[in-house]
Coordinates of all heavy atoms in Angstrom, one line a residue:
M295 N 13.5 62.2 27.3 CA 13.0 61.0 27.7 C 13.0 60.1 26.5 O 12.3 60.4 25.5 CB 11.6 61.1 28.3 CG 11.6 62.0 29.5 SD 10.1 61.7 30.3 CE 10.6 61.9 32.0
A296 N 13.6 59.0 26.6 CA 13.7 58.0 25.5 C 12.4 57.2 25.4 O 11.9 56.7 26.5 CB 14.9 57.2 25.6
K297 N 12.0 56.9 24.3 CA 10.8 56.1 24.1 C 11.3 54.6 24.0 O 12.2 54.3 23.3 CB 10.1 56.5 22.8 CG 8.7 56.0 22.6 CD 8.1 56.6 21.4 CE 6.7 56.3 21.4 NZ 6.0 56.7 20.2
E298 N 10.6 53.8 24.7 CA 11.0 52.4 24.8 C 10.5 51.7 23.5 O 9.4 51.9 23.0 CB 10.3 51.7 26.0 CG 11.0 52.0 27.3 CD 10.4 51.2 28.4 OE1 9.9 50.0 28.1 OE2 10.4 51.6 29.5
A299 N 11.4 50.9 23.0 CA 11.1 50.1 21.8 C 10.5 48.8 22.3 O 11.0 48.1 23.2 CB 12.4 49.8 21.0
R300 N 9.4 48.4 21.6 CA 8.7 47.2 22.0 C 8.9 46.2 20.9 O 8.5 46.4 19.8 CB 7.2 47.5 22.2 CG 6.5 46.3 22.7 CD 5.1 46.7 23.1 NE 4.3 45.5 22.9 CZ 3.0 45.5 22.5 NH1 2.4 46.6 22.2 NH2 2.4 44.4 22.3
L301 N 9.4 45.0 21.3 CA 9.6 43.9 20.3 C 8.5 42.9 20.6 O 8.5 42.2 21.6 CB 11.0 43.3 20.5 CG 11.3 42.2 19.6 CD1 11.3 42.6 18.1 CD2 12.6 41.6 19.9
D302 N 7.6 42.8 19.6 CA 6.5 41.8 19.8 C 6.8 40.7 18.8 O 6.8 40.9 17.6 CB 5.1 42.4 19.4 CG 4.0 41.5 19.8 OD1 4.2 40.5 20.4 OD2 2.8 41.9 19.5
L303 N 7.0 39.5 19.3 CA 7.3 38.3 18.5 C 6.1 37.7 17.8 O 6.3 36.9 16.9 CB 8.1 37.3 19.3 CG 9.4 37.7 19.9 CD1 10.0 36.6 20.8 CD2 10.4 38.1 18.9
N304 N 4.9 38.0 18.3 CA 3.7 37.5 17.7 C 2.8 38.6 17.3 O 1.9 39.0 18.0 CB 3.1 36.5 18.7 CG 2.0 35.7 18.0 OD1 1.8 35.8 16.9 ND2 1.4 34.8 18.8
P305 N 2.9 39.1 16.1 CA 2.0 40.2 15.6 C 0.6 39.8 15.5 O -0.3 40.6 15.5 CB 2.6 40.6 14.3 CG 3.4 39.5 13.8 CD 3.9 38.7 15.0
A306 N 0.3 38.5 15.4 CA -1.1 38.1 15.2 C -1.9 38.3 16.5 O -3.1 38.6 16.5 CB -1.1 36.6 14.9
N307 N -1.2 38.2 17.7 CA -1.9 38.5 19.0 C -2.4 40.0 19.0 O -3.4 40.3 19.6 CB -1.0 38.2 20.1 CG -0.9 36.7 20.4 OD1 -1.7 35.9 19.9 ND2 0.1 36.3 21.1
E308 N -1.6 40.9 18.5 CA -1.9 42.3 18.5 C -3.2 42.5 17.7 O -4.0 43.4 18.0 CB -0.8 43.1 18.0 CG -0.5 44.3 18.8 CD 0.8 45.0 18.3 OE1 0.7 45.7 17.3 OE2 1.8 44.8 18.9
A309 N -3.3 41.8 16.6 CA -4.5 42.0 15.7 C -5.7 41.3 16.3 O -6.8 41.4 15.7 CB -4.2 41.6 14.3
G310 N -5.6 40.5 17.3 CA -6.7 39.8 17.9 C -7.0 38.5 17.2 O -8.1 37.9 17.3
V311 N -6.0 38.0 16.4 CA -6.2 36.7 15.6 C -5.4 35.7 16.2 O -4.2 35.8 16.4 CB -5.8 36.9 14.1 CG1 -6.0 35.6 13.4 CG2 -6.7 38.0 13.5
D312 N -6.0 34.5 16.6 CA -5.2 33.4 17.1 C -4.4 32.8 16.0 O -4.9 32.4 15.0 CB -6.1 32.4 17.7 CG -5.4 31.3 18.5 OD1 -4.2 31.5 18.7 OD2 -6.0 30.3 18.7
R313 N -3.1 32.7 16.2 CA -2.2 32.2 15.1 C -2.5 30.8 14.7 O -2.4 30.4 13.6 CB -0.8 32.4 15.6 CG 0.2 32.1 14.5 CD 1.6 32.4 15.0 NE 2.5 32.4 13.8 CZ 3.7 32.8 13.8 NH1 4.2 33.3 14.9 NH2 4.4 32.8 12.7
A314 N -2.8 29.9 15.7 CA -3.1 28.5 15.4 C -4.3 28.4 14.5 O -4.4 27.6 13.5 CB -3.3 27.7 16.6
K315 N -5.4 29.2 14.8 CA -6.6 29.1 14.0 C -6.3 29.7 12.6 O -6.8 29.2 11.6 CB -7.7 29.9 14.7 CG -8.3 29.1 15.9 CD -9.4 29.9 16.5 CE -9.9 29.2 17.7 NZ -10.9 29.9 18.4
R316 N -5.5 30.7 12.5 CA -5.3 31.3 11.2 C -4.5 30.4 10.3 O -4.8 30.2 9.2 CB -4.5 32.6 11.4 CG -4.3 33.4 10.1 CD -3.4 34.6 10.2 NE -2.1 34.1 10.6 CZ -1.1 34.9 11.0 NH1 -1.3 36.1 11.2 NH2 0.1 34.4 11.2
S317 N -3.5 29.7 10.9 CA -2.7 28.8 10.1 C -3.6 27.5 9.8 O -3.4 27.0 8.7 CB -1.4 28.4 10.8 OG -1.7 27.6 12.0
G318 N -4.5 27.2 10.6 CA -5.3 26.0 10.4 C -6.3 26.3 9.2 O -6.5 25.5 8.3
N319 N -6.8 27.5 9.2 CA -7.7 27.9 8.1 C -6.9 28.0 6.7 O -7.4 27.6 5.7 CB -8.4 29.3 8.3 CG -9.4 29.1 9.4 OD1 -9.9 28.1 9.7 ND2 -9.7 30.3 10.1
D320 N -5.7 28.5 6.8 CA -4.9 28.5 5.6 C -4.6 27.1 5.1 O -4.6 26.8 3.9 CB -3.5 29.2 5.9 CG -3.7 30.7 6.1 OD1 -4.8 31.3 5.7 OD2 -2.8 31.4 6.6
L321 N -4.3 26.2 6.0 CA -4.0 24.8 5.6 C -5.3 24.1 5.1 O -5.2 23.4 4.1 CB -3.5 24.0 6.8 CG -2.1 24.3 7.3 CD1 -1.7 23.5 8.5 CD2 -1.1 24.1 6.2
E322 N -6.4 24.4 5.6 CA -7.7 23.9 5.1 C -7.9 24.3 3.7 O -8.5 23.5 2.9 CB -8.9 24.3 6.0 CG -8.9 23.7 7.4 CD -9.3 22.2 7.4 OE1 -10.0 21.8 6.4 OE2 -9.0 21.5 8.3
K323 N -7.6 25.5 3.4 CA -7.8 26.0 2.0 C -6.8 25.4 1.0 O -7.1 25.2 -0.1 CB -7.6 27.5 2.0 CG -8.7 28.3 2.7 CD -8.5 29.7 2.7 CE -9.5 30.5 3.5 NZ -9.2 31.9 3.7
K324 N -5.5 25.2 1.5 CA -4.5 24.7 0.6 C -4.5 23.2 0.4 O -4.0 22.7 -0.6 CB -3.1 25.1 1.2 CG -2.9 26.6 1.2 CD -1.5 26.9 1.8 CE -1.3 28.4 1.8 NZ 0.0 28.7 2.5
Y325 N -5.1 22.5 1.3 CA -5.1 21.0 1.3 C -5.7 20.4 0.0 O -5.1 19.6 -0.7 CB -5.9 20.5 2.5 CG -6.0 19.0 2.6 CD1 -4.9 18.2 2.8 CD2 -7.3 18.4 2.5 CE1 -5.0 16.8 2.9 CE2 -7.4 17.1 2.6 CZ -6.3 16.3 2.8 OH -6.4 14.9 2.8
P326 N -7.0 20.8 -0.4 CA -7.5 20.3 -1.6 C -6.7 20.7 -2.9 O -6.6 19.9 -3.8 CB -8.9 20.8 -1.7 CG -9.1 21.8 -0.7 CD -7.9 21.7 0.3
V327 N -6.1 21.9 -2.8 CA -5.3 22.3 -4.0 C -4.0 21.4 -4.1 O -3.6 21.0 -5.2 CB -4.9 23.8 -3.8 CG1 -4.0 24.2 -4.9 CG2 -6.2 24.6 -3.8
A328 N -3.4 21.1 -2.9 CA -2.2 20.3 -2.9 C -2.5 18.9 -3.4 O -1.8 18.4 -4.3 CB -1.7 20.2 -1.5
L329 N -3.6 18.3 -3.0 CA -4.0 17.0 -3.5 C -4.3 17.0 -5.0 O -3.9 16.1 -5.7 CB -5.1 16.4 -2.7 CG -4.8 16.1 -1.2 CD1 -6.1 15.4 -0.6 CD2 -3.7 15.1 -1.1
A330 N -4.9 18.0 -5.5 CA -5.2 18.1 -6.9 C -3.9 18.3 -7.7 O -3.8 17.7 -8.8 CB -6.1 19.3 -7.1
M331 N -3.0 19.0 -7.2 CA -1.7 19.2 -7.9 C -1.0 17.9 -7.9 O -0.3 17.6 -8.9 CB -0.9 20.3 -7.2 CG -1.5 21.7 -7.3 SD -1.8 22.2 -9.0 CE -0.2 22.3 -9.7
F332 N -1.0 17.1 -6.8 CA -0.4 15.8 -6.9 C -1.0 14.9 -7.9 O -0.3 14.2 -8.6 CB -0.4 15.1 -5.5 CG 0.5 15.6 -4.5 CD1 0.1 16.1 -3.2 CD2 1.9 15.7 -4.8 CE1 1.0 16.5 -2.3 CE2 2.8 16.2 -3.9 CZ 2.3 16.6 -2.6
A333 N -2.3 14.9 -8.0 CA -3.0 14.1 -9.0 C -2.7 14.6 -10.4 O -2.4 13.7 -11.3 CB -4.5 14.2 -8.8
I334 N -2.6 15.9 -10.7 CA -2.2 16.4 -12.0 C -0.8 16.0 -12.3 O -0.5 15.5 -13.5 CB -2.4 17.9 -12.0 CG1 -3.9 18.2 -12.0 CG2 -1.7 18.5 -13.3 CD1 -4.2 19.7 -11.8
L335 N 0.1 16.1 -11.4 CA 1.5 15.7 -11.6 C 1.6 14.2 -11.9 O 2.4 13.8 -12.8 CB 2.4 16.1 -10.4 CG 2.8 17.5 -10.3 CD1 3.5 17.8 -9.0 CD2 3.7 17.9 -11.4
A336 N 0.8 13.4 -11.2 CA 0.8 12.0 -11.5 C 0.3 11.6 -12.9 O 0.9 10.8 -13.6 CB 0.0 11.2 -10.4
V337 N -0.7 12.3 -13.3 CA -1.2 12.1 -14.7 C -0.2 12.5 -15.7 O 0.1 11.8 -16.7 CB -2.5 12.8 -14.9 CG1 -3.0 12.8 -16.4 CG2 -3.6 12.2 -14.1
V338 N 0.5 13.7 -15.5 CA 1.5 14.1 -16.4 C 2.7 13.2 -16.4 O 3.2 12.9 -17.5 CB 1.9 15.6 -16.0 CG1 3.2 16.0 -16.8 CG2 0.8 16.6 -16.3
A339 N 3.1 12.7 -15.3 CA 4.2 11.7 -15.2 C 3.8 10.4 -15.9 O 4.7 9.9 -16.6 CB 4.6 11.5 -13.8
W340 N 2.6 10.0 -15.8 CA 2.2 8.8 -16.4 C 2.3 8.8 -17.9 O 2.7 7.9 -18.6 CB 0.7 8.4 -16.0 CG 0.2 7.2 -16.6 CD1 -0.5 7.0 -17.7 CD2 0.5 5.8 -16.1 NE1 -0.8 5.7 -18.0 CE2 -0.2 4.9 -17.0 CE3 1.2 5.3 -15.0 CZ2 -0.1 3.6 -16.8 CZ3 1.2 4.0 -14.8 CH2 0.5 3.1 -15.7
F341 N 1.8 10.0 -18.5 CA 1.8 10.1 -20.0 C 3.2 10.6 -20.5 O 3.4 10.5 -21.7 CB 0.7 11.1 -20.4 CG -0.6 10.4 -20.3 CD1 -1.5 10.9 -19.3 CD2 -1.0 9.4 -21.1 CE1 -2.8 10.3 -19.2 CE2 -2.3 8.8 -20.9 CZ -3.1 9.2 -20.0
T342 N 4.0 11.1 -19.7 CA 5.3 11.6 -20.1 C 6.4 10.6 -20.1 O 7.2 10.5 -21.1 CB 5.8 12.8 -19.2 OG1 4.8 13.8 -19.2 CG2 7.1 13.4 -19.7
V343 N 6.4 9.7 -19.1 CA 7.5 8.7 -19.0 C 7.1 7.6 -20.0 O 6.0 7.1 -20.1 CB 7.5 8.2 -17.6 CG1 8.5 7.0 -17.5 CG2 7.9 9.3 -16.6
G344 N 8.1 7.2 -20.7 CA 7.9 6.2 -21.7 C 7.7 4.8 -21.2 O 7.9 4.5 -20.0
D345 N 7.4 3.9 -22.1 CA 7.3 2.5 -21.7 C 8.6 1.8 -21.4 O 9.6 2.3 -21.9 CB 6.6 1.7 -22.9 CG 5.1 2.1 -23.1 OD1 4.5 2.5 -22.1 OD2 4.7 2.0 -24.2
G346 N 8.6 0.8 -20.7 CA 9.8 0.1 -20.3 C 9.6 -0.5 -18.9 O 8.6 -0.2 -18.3
S347 N 10.6 -1.3 -18.6 CA 10.4 -1.9 -17.3 C 11.8 -2.1 -16.7 O 12.8 -2.1 -17.3 CB 9.8 -3.3 -17.4 OG 10.6 -4.2 -18.2
V348 N 11.8 -2.1 -15.3 CA 13.0 -2.2 -14.5 C 12.8 -3.4 -13.6 O 11.7 -3.6 -13.1 CB 13.3 -0.9 -13.7 CG1 14.5 -1.1 -12.9 CG2 13.4 0.2 -14.7
L349 N 13.9 -4.2 -13.3 CA 13.7 -5.3 -12.4 C 13.9 -4.7 -10.9 O 14.9 -4.0 -10.6 CB 14.8 -6.3 -12.6 CG 14.6 -7.2 -13.9 CD1 15.8 -8.1 -14.0 CD2 13.3 -7.9 -13.8
V350 N 12.9 -5.0 -10.1 CA 12.9 -4.6 -8.7 C 12.7 -5.8 -7.9 O 11.6 -6.4 -8.0 CB 11.8 -3.5 -8.4 CG1 11.9 -3.2 -6.9 CG2 12.0 -2.3 -9.2
H351 N 13.7 -6.3 -7.2 CA 13.7 -7.5 -6.4 C 13.3 -8.7 -7.3 O 12.5 -9.6 -6.9 CB 12.7 -7.4 -5.2 CG 13.2 -6.4 -4.2 ND1 14.2 -6.6 -3.4 CD2 12.7 -5.2 -3.9 CE1 14.4 -5.6 -2.6 NE2 13.4 -4.7 -2.9
G352 N 13.8 -8.7 -8.5 CA 13.6 -9.8 -9.4 C 12.3 -9.7 -10.2 O 12.0 -10.6 -11.0
R353 N 11.5 -8.7 -10.0 CA 10.2 -8.6 -10.7 C 10.2 -7.4 -11.6 O 10.7 -6.3 -11.2 CB 9.0 -8.4 -9.7 CG 8.8 -9.7 -8.9 CD 7.6 -9.5 -8.0 NE 7.4 -10.6 -7.2 CZ 6.5 -10.8 -6.3 NH1 5.6 -9.8 -6.1 NH2 6.3 -11.9 -5.6
P354 N 9.7 -7.5 -12.8 CA 9.6 -6.3 -13.7 C 8.6 -5.3 -13.2 O 7.5 -5.6 -12.9 CB 9.3 -6.9 -15.1 CG 8.6 -8.2 -14.8 CD 9.2 -8.7 -13.5
V355 N 9.0 -4.0 -13.2 CA 8.1 -2.9 -12.8 C 8.1 -1.9 -13.9 O 9.2 -1.5 -14.4 CB 8.5 -2.3 -11.5 CG1 7.7 -1.1 -11.1 CG2 8.5 -3.3 -10.3
Q356 N 7.0 -1.4 -14.3 CA 6.9 -0.4 -15.3 C 7.6 0.9 -14.8 O 7.4 1.3 -13.7 CB 5.5 0.0 -15.7 CG 4.8 -1.1 -16.5 CD 3.4 -0.6 -17.0 OE1 3.0 0.4 -16.6 NE2 2.8 -1.4 -17.8
V357 N 8.4 1.5 -15.7 CA 9.2 2.7 -15.3 C 8.2 3.8 -14.9 O 8.5 4.6 -14.0 CB 10.1 3.1 -16.4 CG1 10.8 4.5 -16.1 CG2 11.1 2.1 -16.7
R358 N 7.1 3.9 -15.6 CA 6.1 5.0 -15.3 C 5.5 4.9 -14.0 O 4.9 5.9 -13.5 CB 5.1 5.2 -16.4 CG 4.2 3.9 -16.6 CD 3.1 4.1 -17.6 NE 3.6 4.7 -18.9 CZ 2.9 4.7 -20.0 NH1 1.7 4.2 -20.0 NH2 3.4 5.2 -21.1
L359 N 5.5 3.8 -13.3 CA 4.9 3.6 -12.0 C 5.8 4.2 -10.9 O 5.3 4.6 -9.8 CB 4.7 2.1 -11.7 CG 3.6 1.4 -12.4 CD1 3.5 0.0 -12.0 CD2 2.3 2.1 -12.1
I360 N 7.1 4.4 -11.2 CA 8.0 4.9 -10.1 C 7.7 6.3 -9.8 O 7.5 6.6 -8.6 CB 9.5 4.7 -10.6 CG1 9.8 3.2 -10.7 CG2 10.4 5.4 -9.6 CD1 11.1 2.9 -11.4
P361 N 7.6 7.3 -10.7 CA 7.3 8.7 -10.3 C 5.8 8.8 -9.7 O 5.6 9.6 -8.8 CB 7.4 9.5 -11.5 CG 7.4 8.6 -12.7 CD 7.9 7.3 -12.1
V362 N 4.9 7.9 -10.2 CA 3.5 8.0 -9.7 C 3.5 7.5 -8.2 O 2.8 8.0 -7.4 CB 2.6 7.1 -10.6 CG1 1.2 7.0 -10.0 CG2 2.5 7.7 -12.0
A363 N 4.3 6.5 -7.9 CA 4.4 6.0 -6.6 C 5.0 7.0 -5.6 O 4.6 7.2 -4.5 CB 5.2 4.7 -6.5
I364 N 6.0 7.7 -6.1 CA 6.7 8.7 -5.3 C 5.7 9.9 -5.0 O 5.6 10.3 -3.9 CB 7.9 9.3 -6.0 CG1 9.0 8.2 -6.0 CG2 8.5 10.5 -5.3 CD1 10.2 8.5 -6.9
L365 N 4.9 10.3 -6.0 CA 3.9 11.3 -5.8 C 2.8 10.8 -4.9 O 2.3 11.6 -4.1 CB 3.3 11.8 -7.2 CG 4.3 12.6 -8.0 CD1 3.7 12.7 -9.4 CD2 4.5 14.0 -7.4
A366 N 2.5 9.6 -5.0 CA 1.5 9.0 -4.1 C 1.9 9.1 -2.6 O 1.2 9.4 -1.7 CB 1.1 7.6 -4.5
L367 N 3.2 8.8 -2.4 CA 3.8 8.9 -1.1 C 3.7 10.4 -0.6 O 3.4 10.6 0.6 CB 5.2 8.4 -1.1 CG 5.4 6.9 -1.2 CD1 6.8 6.5 -1.3 CD2 4.7 6.2 0.0
F368 N 4.1 11.3 -1.4 CA 3.9 12.7 -1.0 C 2.5 13.1 -0.7 O 2.2 13.8 0.3 CB 4.5 13.7 -2.1 CG 6.0 13.7 -2.2 CD1 6.6 13.7 -3.4 CD2 6.8 13.8 -1.0 CE1 8.0 13.7 -3.5 CE2 8.1 13.8 -1.1 CZ 8.8 13.8 -2.3
A369 N 1.6 12.6 -1.5 CA 0.1 12.9 -1.2 C -0.3 12.3 0.1 O -1.0 12.9 0.9 CB -0.7 12.4 -2.4
F370 N 0.2 11.1 0.4 CA -0.1 10.4 1.7 C 0.4 11.2 2.8 O -0.2 11.4 3.9 CB 0.4 9.0 1.7 CG 0.1 8.2 2.9 CD1 -1.2 7.9 3.3 CD2 1.1 7.9 3.8 CE1 -1.5 7.2 4.4 CE2 0.8 7.3 5.0 CZ -0.5 6.9 5.3
R371 N 1.7 11.7 2.7 CA 2.3 12.5 3.7 C 1.5 13.8 4.0 O 1.3 14.2 5.1 CB 3.7 12.8 3.3 CG 4.5 13.6 4.4 CD 5.9 13.9 3.9 NE 6.6 14.7 4.9 CZ 6.6 16.0 5.0 NH1 5.8 16.7 4.3 NH2 7.3 16.6 6.0
T372 N 1.0 14.4 2.9 CA 0.2 15.6 3.0 C -1.1 15.3 3.8 O -1.6 16.0 4.6 CB -0.1 16.2 1.7 OG1 1.1 16.4 1.0 CG2 -0.9 17.4 1.8
Y373 N -1.7 14.1 3.4 CA -3.0 13.7 4.1 C -2.7 13.5 5.6 O -3.5 14.0 6.4 CB -3.4 12.4 3.4 CG -4.6 11.7 4.1 CD1 -5.9 12.1 4.0 CD2 -4.3 10.6 4.9 CE1 -6.9 11.5 4.7 CE2 -5.3 10.0 5.6 CZ -6.6 10.4 5.4 OH -7.6 9.8 6.1
V374 N -1.7 12.8 5.9 CA -1.4 12.5 7.4 C -1.1 13.8 8.1 O -1.6 14.0 9.2 CB -0.2 11.5 7.5 CG1 0.3 11.4 8.9 CG2 -0.6 10.2 7.0
A375 N -0.3 14.7 7.5 CA 0.0 16.0 8.1 C -1.2 16.9 8.4 O -1.4 17.5 9.4 CB 1.0 16.8 7.3
M376 N -2.2 16.8 7.4 CA -3.4 17.6 7.6 C -4.2 17.1 8.7 O -4.8 17.8 9.5 CB -4.2 17.6 6.2 CG -5.4 18.4 6.3 SD -5.0 20.2 6.5 CE -6.4 20.7 7.3
H377 N -4.4 15.8 8.8 CA -5.2 15.2 9.8 C -4.5 15.4 11.2 O -5.2 15.5 12.2 CB -5.5 13.7 9.5 CG -6.6 13.6 8.5 ND1 -7.9 13.8 8.8 CD2 -6.5 13.4 7.2 CE1 -8.6 13.6 7.7 NE2 -7.8 13.4 6.7
A378 N -3.2 15.3 11.3 CA -2.5 15.6 12.5 C -2.7 17.0 13.0 O -2.9 17.2 14.2 CB -1.0 15.3 12.3
D379 N -2.7 17.9 12.0 CA -3.0 19.3 12.4 C -4.4 19.5 12.9 O -4.6 20.3 13.8 CB -2.7 20.2 11.2 CG -2.8 21.7 11.5 OD1 -2.0 22.1 12.4 OD2 -3.7 22.4 11.0
R380 N -5.3 18.8 12.3 CA -6.7 18.9 12.8 C -6.9 18.4 14.2 O -7.6 19.0 15.0 CB -7.7 18.1 11.8 CG -8.0 18.8 10.5 CD -8.9 17.9 9.7 NE -9.1 18.5 8.4 CZ -9.5 17.9 7.3 NH1 -9.9 16.6 7.5 NH2 -9.7 18.5 6.2
I381 N -6.2 17.3 14.5 CA -6.2 16.7 15.8 C -5.6 17.7 16.8 O -6.2 17.9 17.9 CB -5.5 15.3 15.8 CG1 -6.4 14.3 15.1 CG2 -5.3 14.9 17.3 CD1 -5.7 13.0 14.8
R382 N -4.5 18.3 16.5 CA -3.8 19.2 17.4 C -4.7 20.4 17.6 O -4.8 20.9 18.7 CB -2.5 19.7 16.8 CG -1.4 18.8 16.9 CD -0.1 19.4 16.5 NE 0.7 18.3 15.9 CZ 1.0 18.2 14.6 NH1 0.6 19.1 13.8 NH2 1.8 17.2 14.2
R383 N -5.4 20.9 16.6 CA -6.3 22.1 16.8 C -7.5 21.7 17.6 O -8.1 22.6 18.3 CB -6.7 22.6 15.4 CG -5.7 23.5 14.8 CD -6.1 24.2 13.6 NE -6.1 23.2 12.5 CZ -7.2 23.1 11.6 NH1 -8.2 23.8 11.7 NH2 -7.1 22.2 10.7
E384 N -8.0 20.5 17.5 CA -9.2 20.1 18.3 C -8.8 20.0 19.8 O -9.7 20.3 20.7 CB -9.7 18.7 17.9 CG -10.4 18.8 16.6 CD -10.8 17.4 16.1 OE1 -10.6 16.4 16.8 OE2 -11.4 17.3 15.0
K385 N -7.6 19.7 20.1 CA -7.1 19.6 21.5 C -7.0 21.0 22.2 O -7.2 21.1 23.4 CB -5.8 18.9 21.6 CG -5.8 17.5 21.4 CD -4.5 16.8 21.6 CE -4.6 15.3 21.4 NZ -3.3 14.7 21.5
D386 N -6.8 22.0 21.4 CA -6.7 23.4 21.9 C -8.0 24.1 22.2 O -9.0 23.9 22.1 CB -5.9 24.3 21.0 CG -4.4 23.9 20.9 OD1 -4.0 23.2 21.8 OD2 -3.8 24.2 19.9

């Protein structure tokens, strides 16, 4: 008699842990660390990039503002993703 192989695609259900709550808790822990890392990277970029300016739409912009602005956009995206995940978890 052959033993049947069982393929479980969601091992978290077997352990009795809801996968959505587990990932939500992981995200809650990682969120402040991610924002802190963005802040640290922005400070490092500010002091690393030299002085100078570039014309953007006819206006001079400091070169060191460009990487800081990009990091700010990533931080904003992280903020929006975290709040969207909170809203999704509240609906469940």
Side-chain angles (χ1 to χ4, degrees):
M295 301 196 147
K297 196 174 190 182
E298 286 186 28
R300 184 174 152 214
L301 178 63
D302 191 7
L303 298 176
N304 193 357
N307 285 342
E308 223 173 80
V311 177
D312 187 15
R313 188 172 192 168
K315 289 182 183 177
R316 186 184 68 190
S317 67
N319 288 337
D320 290 344
L321 289 176
E322 290 284 338
K323 292 176 186 175
K324 293 178 183 179
Y325 177 68
V327 174
L329 291 183
M331 294 305 293
F332 284 128
I334 290 169
L335 283 172
V337 169
V338 168
W340 181 263
F341 288 111
T342 303
V343 177
D345 291 331
S347 62
V348 177
L349 289 178
V350 177
H351 295 288
R353 295 183 179 179
V355 174
Q356 288 184 355
V357 174
R358 61 175 50 168
L359 288 177
I360 296 169
V362 172
I364 292 169
L365 288 168
L367 289 173
F368 284 136
F370 180 70
R371 182 181 181 275
T372 303
Y373 170 79
V374 169
M376 185 63 208
H377 283 282
D379 186 61
R380 285 180 185 164
I381 291 170
R382 281 188 214 110
R383 281 187 282 131
E384 287 176 2
K385 287 183 180 180
D386 291 337

